[in-house]
Amino acid sequence: VERVEAETQLVETTVAGLDARLSGMVRVASSQVLTSHLLALCFTALHALHPDIVIEALPDLAGKALAAREADIVVGLRRFEHHDLVARSIGHLAFGLYACVSYLAHHGEPYLGSGCNGHRLITLVDDQTLPDQAAWLAEHAGRAQVVLRADSYETQHWSASCAGGLALLPRFRADAEPALRRIDTPAPA
């Protein structure tokens, strides 16, 4: 009877464990740079713990994926405001002003006190989605000539790497690029 009871408890524990196993599809929307360089590692770690979860990585088009119920989770650079959704801060990203080494050799070191006068600048198309970054650029590089308005940080990154000009980029990505050099700034971006 004790053996049957022990085996019954083992079966109950096993079944309960299977019932509690996490599984299914989770749709995560984010920018390409965040998904490729930060979230991909997280997805791998999650799958190692919960092999029955499938992640569907989606592009986040201007923060609308969650509001339209096209995604379960959105990871973005700014707070998402919607009254019936849960928003949490998961961290902070450091940004820096970067230029290609060959660009700096040709154009010289930018002087932020003069607003980077005489330099070229690569910005985002819609810089009002991140007003703090737009304000920082206006204050420190406001006299630079905008030569490219890019749709993503990845486009900005590669344009700066090709000596296209100065760009305000996420440090987790740009610090690892040998062709780019972070410019010393009086205030953090």
Side-chain angles (χ1 to χ4, degrees):
V1 170
E2 289 175 357
R3 185 176 62 82
V4 170
E5 181 182 35
E7 288 178 12
T8 301
Q9 286 177 342
L10 179 63
V11 168
E12 286 176 358
T13 302
T14 302
V15 169
L18 290 176
D19 290 344
R21 179 184 261 163
L22 299 177
S23 64
M25 175 77 67
V26 178
R27 296 167 302 162
V28 180
S30 188
S31 69
Q32 181 183 14
V33 71
L34 288 177
T35 300
S36 299
H37 298 280
L38 293 178
L39 296 179
L41 179 62
C42 298
F43 297 157
T44 300
L46 178 68
H47 190 260
L49 293 172
H50 305 287
D52 294 331
I53 290 180
V54 175
I55 300 289
E56 187 172 291
L58 305 169
D60 183 28
L61 305 173
K64 296 182 176 146
L66 195 58
R69 304 285 192 232
E70 295 170 358
D72 303 305
I73 298 169
V74 172
V75 178
L77 295 178
R78 61 186 170 100
R79 185 166 180 80
F80 184 79
E81 299 293 339
H82 201 279
H83 68 279
D84 65 342
L85 300 174
V86 176
R88 300 229 192 306
S89 174
I90 59 171
H92 298 278
L93 288 180
F95 281 78
L97 186 64
Y98 291 85
C100 181
V101 174
S102 63
Y103 172 89
L104 293 172
H106 185 262
H107 294 277
E109 191 76 20
Y111 177 58
L112 279 76
S114 72
C116 297
N117 191 26
H119 282 273
R120 298 183 300 196
L121 186 63
I122 302 159
T123 66
L124 289 173
V125 170
D126 184 11
D127 60 2
Q128 293 310 308
T129 59
L130 297 166
D132 292 342
Q133 289 184 3
W136 191 95
L137 277 173
E139 180 181 346
H140 298 285
R143 296 190 65 205
Q145 177 190 2
V146 175
V147 295
L148 174 65
R149 294 187 189 279
D151 66 339
S152 69
Y153 286 112
E154 201 66 3
T155 301
Q156 283 184 290
H157 177 100
W158 289 114
S159 182
S161 296
C162 296
L166 307 171
L168 189 60
L169 300 170
R171 287 188 54 190
F172 74 86
R173 175 80 171 96
D175 280 352
E177 178 64 46
L180 293 177
R181 197 184 101 222
R182 187 163 25 103
I183 309 299
D184 289 330
T185 58

